[in-house]
Amino acid sequence: MAEETRTAGRRAAGAAESGQTQRAARSAAGRRSRETRPEQVVVADPPPEPDYPRYRVEPGAGVRLADVDPDESEHFGRKKDAAPELARHRDRIADLQARLYGENRRSLLLVLQAMDTGGKDGTIKHVFQGVNPQGCQVSSFKAPSAEESAHDFLWRYHQRVPSRGMIGIFNRSHYEDVLVVRVKGLVPEEVWRPRYEVINQFEQALSLSGVTVLKFYLHISKEEQKRRLESRLADPDKRWKFSANDLRERGYWDDYMAAFEEAISNTSTDVAPWYVVPANTKWYRNLVIARTIADTLEAMDPRYPEAEEGLDQVTVDD
Ligand code: ATP
Ligand code: MG
């Protein structure tokens, strides 16, 4: 069964790009994963694969960021062309999140990583519109405090992993410990390199306890970052977002690309896949991420608990 689910997902993923075939394959894969008991999907098997072969980094295959076009937007020309689909996915996420919360057995962890101005904040704002704030927890990770630095590097992240029923969003994450830490030489290579394996084991352990992990790298070009930084400088209402540190980090662009490429290639696994999302076009980025989240939640198939028996006979006193 488990293998069947995976194969069905792959088959769907590999199906022709054209509309009808792809839709048929997707719904077949959807049917298969709904037939599977949710805990088997999440615990005994990788999370079901949403149908995005171009953006999902296949485990073991690795990724070359230069091969992913940050300007991609499928057949959508303008924001309003994509708006109806985005609205649909938002509704799906809101409904499925309510079920996940009611079920109170499993959780979803989303990891967002990007260069400065890459759109992590904008993604959270746009994709989670309409979701009950009670069922979501956003954790933003900056440079570690003295207390955090005094522990193993995963300590502060583990504490913020979503509890049962919750969606957790990591705005930056444990990946900083193989990204900024490597690029800025904060620890030697003998320390950061083994972390790929530690991270894979951590995510595997989470998956075994019912946490589905999805990771998104928001892929912008260096030119797009320049435009976004300039627009922050030019707009009085955006100036507060500008930080001189962003310019310093920009100076390490190529080193960051190499670090992202290696980190993503080494840590995209069946239980915690990476998606490299074209992100120069903000509304397209939102659409891809919303779709992926909605499809993953749908395949998890969270269900409201059974109501108590005999409720039909219950009356409420005046
Ligand atoms: P925004 O700029 O939108 O507010 P941000 O995530 O860029 O969001 P900043 O306060 O600008 O927030 O930057 C946080 C900084 O913390 C980043 O430069 C990041 O590299 C750094 N950081 C995060 N985790 C670590 C870590 N584990 N070790 C060292 N630096 C880290
Ligand atoms: Mg910043």
Side-chain angles (χ1 to χ4, degrees):
M1 170 293 312
E3 182 54 34
E4 227 173 59
T5 309
R6 190 164 44 216
T7 314
R10 290 247 165 73
R11 223 179 289 130
E17 299 276 331
S18 69
Q20 226 177 4
T21 320
Q22 207 176 16
R23 265 195 306 281
R26 198 180 301 135
S27 81
R31 268 197 309 280
R32 287 295 182 92
S33 41
R34 270 193 291 280
E35 281 161 21
T36 312
R37 283 170 48 218
E39 69 274 22
Q40 289 173 319
V41 172
V42 176
V43 175
D45 204 41
E49 293 158 315
D51 184 15
Y52 307 112
R54 282 178 299 167
Y55 303 138
R56 186 180 199 271
V57 177
E58 285 308 318
V63 68
R64 268 177 48 90
L65 292 177
D67 292 344
V68 182
D69 177 8
D71 283 314
E72 162 80 54
S73 64
E74 288 172 46
H75 57 282
F76 299 104
R78 286 180 298 174
K79 183 176 179 174
K80 72 179 180 48
D81 301 331
E85 191 187 326
L86 177 60
R88 207 163 59 241
H89 296 316
R90 279 190 191 131
D91 287 348
R92 293 170 70 208
I93 293 171
D95 174 60
L96 288 158
Q97 181 273 333
R99 291 168 191 274
L100 187 76
Y101 189 82
E103 182 189 78
N104 196 27
R105 288 176 50 221
R106 297 168 295 162
S107 60
L108 178 65
L109 171 61
L110 308 169
V111 168
L112 298 178
Q113 286 288 161
M115 295 295 285
D116 287 305
T117 76
K120 296 180 275 83
D121 295 350
T123 298
I124 296 167
K125 179 173 156 188
H126 288 101
V127 171
F128 287 91
Q129 264 174 37
V131 168
N132 183 350
Q134 193 159 251
C136 285
Q137 183 186 40
V138 181
S139 304
S140 299
F141 296 100
K142 316 276 179 189
S145 67
E147 190 190 18
E148 288 168 344
S149 301
H151 289 82
D152 69 278
F153 83 100
L154 288 176
W155 183 73
R156 67 173 178 158
Y157 306 105
H158 206 159
Q159 294 177 66
R160 306 292 292 178
V161 167
S163 54
R164 294 182 207 290
M166 297 289 288
I167 296 180
I169 304 166
F170 279 8
N171 182 349
R172 297 188 190 269
S173 67
H174 42 301
Y175 284 93
E176 290 296 330
D177 294 80
V178 288
L179 293 166
V180 63
V181 157
R182 164 184 176 168
V183 170
K184 307 305 276 301
L186 303 182
V187 299
E189 182 166 354
E190 313 83 272
V191 174
W192 62 256
R193 186 163 286 284
R195 287 179 177 172
Y196 296 139
E197 195 43 41
V198 175
I199 287 173
N200 286 339
Q201 287 171 8
F202 171 56
E203 292 173 353
Q204 168 84 26
L206 295 183
S207 134
L208 289 169
S209 0
V211 184
T212 293
V213 185
L214 290 183
K215 304 177 292 199
F216 298 99
Y217 169 63
L218 317 183
H219 183 43
I220 58 164
S221 62
K222 195 173 180 189
E223 297 71 35
E224 178 65 16
Q225 190 192 53
K226 180 171 159 58
R227 280 192 288 277
R228 292 185 186 183
L229 287 170
E230 284 173 347
S231 102
R232 287 183 180 182
L233 284 169
D235 181 345
D237 287 346
K238 287 190 187 163
R239 275 204 174 170
W240 66 273
K241 288 194 196 174
F242 185 86
S243 150
N245 190 50
D246 294 352
L247 295 184
R248 278 193 292 278
E249 296 301 312
R250 179 174 166 79
Y252 295 95
W253 185 275
D254 292 343
D255 295 336
Y256 270 111
M257 289 304 108
F260 269 115
E261 207 163 82
E262 202 176 341
I264 292 170
S265 297
N266 279 305
T267 60
S268 198
T269 59
D270 283 330
V271 292
W274 272 104
Y275 293 81
V276 174
V277 180
N280 277 5
T281 306
K282 294 175 182 173
W283 49 261
Y284 183 65
R285 168 204 77 203
N286 294 337
L287 180 71
V288 169
I289 295 177
R291 261 184 197 163
T292 310
I293 294 171
D295 282 7
T296 300
L297 277 169
E298 190 169 281
M300 286 169 72
D301 194 15
R303 292 161 193 233
Y304 290 121
E306 295 286 321
E308 284 176 35
E309 280 182 27
L311 289 189
D312 289 345
Q313 279 74 52
V314 172
T315 53
V316 180
D317 290 345
D318 293 336

